[in-house]
Amino acid sequence: DKGGWSSFMAKEISEEPEAVAKTILGRTHDGLVQLNELDPIGDEALRDIDRIVIIACGTAAYAGMLGKYAIEQWSRIPVDVELSHEFRYRDPILSDRTLVISISQSGETMDTLMAVKYVHDKSKAHLLSVCNTQGATIPRESHAVVYTHAGPEVAVASTKAFVAQVTALYLIGLHLAKVRGTLDDAAIRAAVDELQAVPDKLAEVIDVAQGQVGQLAHWMTDTQSVLFLGRHVGYPIAMEGALKLKELAYIHAEGFAAGELKHGPIALIEPGQVVFVIVPSPRDPSSLHPKVVSNIQEIRARGARVIAIAEKGDAAVLPFADEVIPIPLAGSLFEPLLAVVPLHIFGMELADAKGLDVDQPRNLAKSVTVE
Ligand code: M6R
């Protein structure tokens, strides 16, 4: 039931705040993270882990990339993110000190399921599943499962499941940080507070972005190609924005790490090329903000039409962007959860403006059950 919305995708985007809130619910205690679901693996084993491998496909893999940034920063455990269908075909190095985290909304994606079975049969690695579907096959083949509570996702394009997956991975990262003593309680509480503030901020972004992004999409029905740039946690968001345009609006789209621009992709910039740029916060202690602003100047000088997704009040981007989509203030690791929403809306609105089937794009299935 679309509940009065024009599509399941529109409904599911509106449920992104709730998906995050419900995924956190019952998993904190006294301001800290309490993930009893990890008990089957056990804190002792988690203290011994020397490497994490995240396996997933599509949007779930981009959630995994965000998980890598957070888990490495908080728990200091090295994390690799691999596409499930690449992972098991190269004799991966696994031991009883490896934690393999699979991410799947459906829990039935064959590529990921086969990779999980491979780990199960060929190694002593610990298998943790992040899944949105109770009792699905992938969690049943794993040692432990942290369910995302996004509710059923019907539209082929994954939206609310993505933000819920990132939330679950962040909770896992904070649990690991506690168990391994890499963050003190005050730092964990601060991160939990940030995460708990995300749903309200998401609601604000949806509110602000809807009209603005809808209008942009209506101007762009003839656009042939769109590029997306981001850095650090903005990079997976750039890839996610591009994937949504491909699958929903059938437009050639590519996401790049902004630092890679000068190593090739800048040659693609010609007058009129539309480029979305995910801008890091100017408050970020790294020097990424000025670097991305200077990327914007470089592409603008070559005639690109720049649409910046930037923190509210970021005056530095205003003179150089054709359009700025504002997002609320948040810590660097939490910004991508907000920046992704305008891109979800954009993909949907552009597909809609082109008269395409938003919920059921051509050639795609909600859950890919063949290898
Ligand atoms: O059910 P899963 O999370 O395992 O699905 C993974 C991908 O097939 C899925 O995210 C796909 O990329 C979406 N259609 C993207 O919007």
Side-chain angles (χ1 to χ4, degrees):
D1 176 18
K2 292 182 201 157
W5 294 90
S6 56
S7 61
F8 280 105
M9 190 178 176
K11 174 173 180 274
E12 287 159 9
I13 290 173
S14 82
E15 291 167 348
E16 290 195 33
E18 202 184 325
V20 171
K22 286 192 171 161
T23 299
I24 303 170
L25 197 72
R27 287 171 169 159
T28 61
H29 179 70
D30 192 22
L32 300 171
V33 172
Q34 188 167 349
L35 268 183
N36 301 331
E37 293 97 322
L38 296 182
D39 288 354
I41 297 176
D43 287 353
E44 203 175 315
L46 291 176
R47 261 188 289 274
D48 260 6
I49 296 299
D50 63 4
R51 180 167 165 254
I52 294 176
V53 182
I54 294 179
I55 49 176
C57 303
T59 286
Y62 303 142
M65 287 171 74
L66 291 177
K68 170 187 166 83
Y69 291 106
I71 294 170
E72 285 191 343
Q73 181 171 319
W74 291 333
S75 75
R76 309 308 298 156
I77 307 170
V79 182
D80 294 317
V81 184
E82 293 226 32
L83 296 168
S84 317
H85 37 86
E86 288 293 316
F87 167 77
R88 79 190 172 100
Y89 290 99
R90 52 167 188 70
D91 196 7
I93 300 160
L94 299 163
S95 78
D96 59 353
R97 298 183 68 193
T98 310
L99 173 65
V100 176
I101 307 179
S102 68
I103 311 170
S104 176
Q105 187 287 128
S106 59
E108 302 295 345
T109 297
M110 189 56 78
D111 288 318
T112 304
L113 173 61
M114 295 315 280
V116 165
K117 283 196 164 149
Y118 177 95
V119 174
H120 200 275
D121 296 348
K122 304 264 185 214
S123 80
K124 293 200 157 57
H126 304 277
L127 265 166
L128 170 63
S129 148
V130 171
C131 181
N132 196 47
T133 312
Q134 294 282 333
T137 314
I138 293 172
R140 279 195 274 117
E141 295 284 332
S142 306
H143 302 121
V145 50
V146 173
Y147 281 107
T148 47
H149 296 299
E153 196 180 59
V154 177
V156 164
S158 187
T159 54
K160 62 176 181 172
F162 172 79
V163 290
Q165 285 160 349
V166 176
T167 303
L169 291 165
Y170 283 17
L171 291 170
I172 292 166
L174 291 170
H175 180 100
L176 289 169
K178 172 74 182 167
V179 167
R180 299 166 68 98
T182 45
L183 287 185
D184 61 21
D185 285 1
I188 296 176
R189 285 201 176 93
V192 168
D193 278 354
E194 277 268 13
L195 196 56
Q196 279 170 331
V198 167
D200 283 349
K201 293 180 186 178
L202 275 173
E204 186 184 328
V205 191
I206 294 173
D207 227 36
V208 172
Q210 221 138 35
Q212 189 183 5
V213 174
Q215 210 159 41
L216 269 176
H218 277 87
W219 294 333
M220 285 173 56
T221 47
D222 292 330
T223 303
Q224 303 287 313
S225 149
V226 179
L227 304 180
F228 295 80
L229 297 180
R231 254 189 112 136
H232 186 242
V233 286
Y235 172 38
I237 299 304
M239 313 261 274
E240 166 68 357
L243 177 60
K244 286 295 178 280
L245 271 204
K246 288 175 213 171
E247 73 176 328
L248 291 159
Y250 317 154
I251 287 182
H252 172 255
E254 269 192 84
F256 301 111
E260 198 61 12
L261 199 61
K262 56 186 173 300
H263 299 285
I266 198 163
L268 288 170
I269 307 293
E270 53 186 12
Q273 172 68 53
V274 176
V275 187
F276 278 78
V277 184
I278 296 106
V279 185
S281 164
R283 299 170 299 114
D284 195 80
S286 73
S287 57
L288 288 181
H289 178 266
K291 292 206 165 99
V292 171
V293 172
S294 101
N295 288 143
I296 294 179
Q297 288 172 269
E298 283 156 15
I299 56 174
R300 192 73 187 305
R302 289 163 178 82
R305 278 187 59 197
V306 175
I307 303 163
I309 300 177
E311 187 175 280
K312 226 176 358 190
D314 180 352
V317 294
L318 290 176
F320 310 113
D322 295 87
E323 186 97 27
V324 179
I325 302 168
I327 55 168
L329 277 63
S332 340
L333 287 171
F334 301 89
E335 274 171 15
L337 282 164
L338 309 176
V340 77
V341 174
L343 300 181
H344 285 166
I345 298 175
F346 183 67
M348 174 183 72
E349 292 285 352
L350 192 48
D352 196 47
K354 290 179 78 170
L356 302 172
D357 186 338
V358 168
D359 288 334
Q360 189 52 258
R362 69 185 177 199
N363 309 341
L364 288 169
K366 178 62 184 161
S367 135
V368 184
T369 51
V370 289
E371 261 194 285

